[in-house]
Amino acid sequence: MLAPEMTLPAALRDALHPDGAVRIAGLRNLAPALLAALDRPGPARCGDDEHPDVAAVRERLLAALEDPVPDARGYAAMGLGTLGQRAVIDAVAPWLTLANDDADGTWLRETAVIALSYVGVALGTSDADARARVLALLRAAWGASWPELRFQAALARIEVDDPQAEAELAAVLAEPPADDAPAHEQQLRAQIVFALGHVARLQPSTLDVLVRALDRLPPHDLLATELAIVLAAHDRREGLPALRAALLRRFDRDRALEALAALGAPDPAAAEAALRLLRPWVPPITRVRAAYAVCRITAPGSPAARRGARALALHAWHPRPAVREAVADARAALARLEGQSGAAGDRPSPTAPRARPGP
């Protein structure tokens, strides 16, 4: 959930403003501001007894479902979903079948799916009827002809833990894309990989599909990087060439370093590339990630591992607290891994925190 851009009183005030842009900003911030006031991550169900403004927030959002401005209606629906208001389910169901092929229609179709995913997550298994309705609507969105519905439904079904989602998403990746596939089909495949990356433990058959999809791509392809990151999180090494290639791209190298460290597979070529990221002009957080990755993918006591350990020691005195904290996290993870290795006698599962990949 995004942090609110304004306080709850300001959002309540602006949600009634006659100016559309101001009103939209207020509606967009109502749910995040309420959850921030409750110090609760969202999506989450909020009862009227938990905060004096819960009822007012709900009424503002429900009223805005009839707002003449489509953007306002969409943000109201997402706010209601974020707060676990099951009334949003029937409210947005007709939006999924809107026939108008314009920006407003696309917006409302997409926000309907997002709102359904939010309310599904917020309610969880506490309301079986609502959950069944959400799953049915999301599955219908997945089967629709509108590209934006399939795109949003891919992630939404994973977020609400649809038991059928993993197999159906993997089935799309299992089919090789046509050479002349439209852009929206390529975007859908990328979204599917992103969505599957949110599954704590994928089925072996799904991982095999990801490997075959990776084999069809050159290592430097951006989708290959995403596939490799998901595979690395499941201790699969087939994506190592793609992770090495990603170390050369500024905007991918941090996530590639984290994936390499999580995998922990010995890889001299990746270690050599990671060592080059210890240079002083590289951002310090990246240098810490590179040092940790080197320690994970090289033999203990090797020259490369010693260089990685020295880099961590050096950055332990960095003036920025975030860098010092990153070093402390890296050292603690290495200590846990060493202890587990000594106790179990084999390679332990990685425990260092990993950044969540973006779409």
Side-chain angles (χ1 to χ4, degrees):
M1 185 189 74
L2 296 177
E5 304 161 311
M6 61 182 73
T7 64
L8 180 54
L12 284 165
R13 177 199 66 214
D14 289 355
L16 296 175
H17 201 280
D19 182 272
V22 176
R23 190 166 67 254
I24 288 167
L27 292 167
R28 184 176 66 242
N29 281 278
L30 277 174
L34 175 59
L35 290 172
L38 292 169
D39 192 24
R40 181 183 302 177
R45 183 81 168 87
C46 298
D48 288 5
D49 59 341
E50 297 183 69
H51 192 279
D53 288 325
V54 170
V57 168
R58 182 179 63 251
E59 294 309 314
R60 295 280 200 285
L61 293 171
L62 285 170
L65 291 175
E66 305 299 328
D67 196 288
V69 180
D71 281 16
R73 299 202 297 273
Y75 281 117
M78 289 189 288
L80 288 166
T82 300
L83 299 178
Q85 295 294 319
R86 65 171 295 166
V88 76
I89 300 172
D90 289 333
V92 302
W95 298 3
L96 297 174
T97 55
L98 288 173
N100 45 321
D101 190 12
D102 57 15
D104 290 345
T106 299
W107 164 256
L108 290 174
R109 284 189 292 270
E110 287 192 286
T111 53
V113 176
I114 296 169
L116 289 169
S117 72
Y118 288 172
V119 74
V121 172
L123 294 176
T125 58
S126 64
D127 188 328
D129 291 340
R131 175 173 171 77
R133 178 73 168 139
V134 167
L135 289 177
L137 289 170
L138 290 179
R139 289 168 185 168
W142 173 251
S145 60
W146 295 103
E148 66 272 11
L149 282 181
R150 288 176 59 78
F151 182 90
Q152 295 293 348
L155 179 59
R157 294 182 66 189
I158 292 296
E159 287 178 328
V160 301
D161 197 23
D162 182 348
Q164 300 177 17
E166 179 181 332
E168 293 184 14
L169 268 59
V172 175
L173 291 181
E175 295 295 327
D179 294 337
D180 58 347
H184 67 78
E185 290 189 13
Q186 300 172 17
Q187 293 165 358
L188 176 61
R189 297 175 75 84
Q191 178 77 334
I192 288 172
V193 175
F194 176 64
L196 292 174
H198 288 72
V199 179
R201 183 54 53 181
L202 292 168
Q203 295 295 321
S205 58
T206 301
L207 295 172
D208 291 340
V209 168
L210 297 184
V211 171
R212 291 195 294 273
L214 179 63
D215 289 341
R216 294 192 290 264
L217 298 169
H220 62 269
D221 190 277
L222 297 182
L223 183 56
T225 301
E226 303 303 327
L227 287 162
I229 288 172
V230 177
L231 289 168
H234 290 77
D235 299 323
R236 297 289 292 259
R237 305 185 181 196
E238 291 91 341
L240 281 172
L243 295 177
R244 292 188 211 109
L247 293 178
L248 304 178
R249 298 193 299 269
R250 179 180 177 185
F251 296 106
D252 288 326
R253 63 193 182 192
D254 285 68
R255 293 171 59 228
L257 287 168
E258 292 175 347
L260 286 165
L263 184 57
D267 193 325
E272 183 178 349
L275 286 170
R276 288 195 290 270
L277 295 175
L278 296 178
R279 295 167 179 171
W281 55 81
V282 175
I285 290 291
T286 300
R287 297 201 298 267
V288 172
R289 289 188 174 115
Y292 175 69
V294 167
C295 291
R296 287 284 291 128
I297 63 179
T298 56
S302 66
R306 290 199 297 270
R307 286 185 62 187
R310 285 197 301 270
L312 289 177
L314 175 66
H315 288 83
W317 301 96
H318 196 277
R320 285 177 52 193
V323 178
R324 299 196 300 271
E325 291 170 6
V327 171
D329 288 345
R331 286 175 155 176
L334 289 169
R336 287 194 299 270
L337 290 162
E338 183 178 357
Q340 292 171 15
S341 180
D346 57 5
R347 187 174 70 86
S349 300
T351 54
R354 300 178 61 246
R356 179 176 174 169

